[in-house]
Amino acid sequence: MPTKRTFVDLTMFIHEDMPTLRPDHFAPSVIPYSDLAESGWRGSKLILDSHCGTHLDAPSHFVADGGTVDAVELADLIGRCQIVDVPVSTYDAPIELEQLPEITQPRIFFRTSCSDRIETDPEGYFHHHAYLTSSTARALVTAGVRLVGMDCPSVDLVGDDAHQILLQNNVSIIENLVNLSTLPNECDVIILPLPIVGCDGSPVRAVAELEIPDAPGES
């Protein structure tokens, strides 16, 4: 059956009023420095937290000698991805090893539906979300996973060690994904961080690429 490609944006929009986990992280600022009427062109200074909105954690975020975002392999960030459903009842609860299905792809996104609450309940979003246990994080490393994504603000809670386990093994982390509810159980993804030399992370543009059947009469 003929198919066509379509794309789903998995990225939070960046704006100065966006929900932010404070005081750990700060909201972005967009500051115009050139005006169209006076200069004939527009320019703006951007002040962005390296973990603003939908973002990538590079190993150096938690690992003393870990690699920085400019060294992350694009091959880890582009390709087939497995979407793992996590029951809504696991808000504020761990994603246990027993909940993992068979891992079939080197990229895993956990679909928790937590991002549905980002606008209506930011407090709940940032402080009551599913998270990975140490054993689950280790199992992902053992399975050869290279990229772990979550539609919530963190892979762990304060004091847990999923970040360290994944990043020590050069598994990149994507947090604050959105729109995972629109994806099938597998799809291709494209994750593009800014190659900021020496930095611990970067906002990303995260996109899923889907193939859907052509409607009758389309070619």
Side-chain angles (χ1 to χ4, degrees), residues 2-23:
T3 61
K4 61 182 179 182
R5 293 188 304 167
T6 188
F7 297 92
V8 179
D9 199 338
L10 310 178
T11 316
M12 284 186 179
F13 286 103
I14 295 175
H15 57 89
E16 293 182 334
D17 296 321
M18 68 187 299
T20 305
L21 178 57
R22 302 180 186 184

Side-chain angles (χ1 to χ4, degrees), residues 75-143:
D76 293 343
L77 307 180
I78 300 172
R80 202 68 177 169
C81 182
Q82 180 179 1
I83 314 300
V84 175
D85 283 304
V86 177
V88 173
S89 59
T90 57
Y91 283 165
D92 225 5
I95 301 172
E96 301 284 3
L97 179 60
E98 294 75 16
Q99 294 176 262
L100 282 184
E102 178 185 2
I103 303 301
T104 61
Q105 301 297 337
R107 302 163 199 86
I108 303 293
F109 286 174
F110 288 92
R111 179 164 48 199
T112 74
S113 80
C114 186
S115 62
D116 295 346
R117 303 183 295 162
I118 183 64
E119 296 294 339
T120 59
D121 181 20
E123 177 70 17
Y125 174 79
F126 285 115
H127 298 287
H128 302 283
H129 57 82
Y131 58 95
L132 304 181
T133 63
S134 300
S135 58
T136 300
R138 291 191 187 97
L140 295 172
V141 171
T142 300

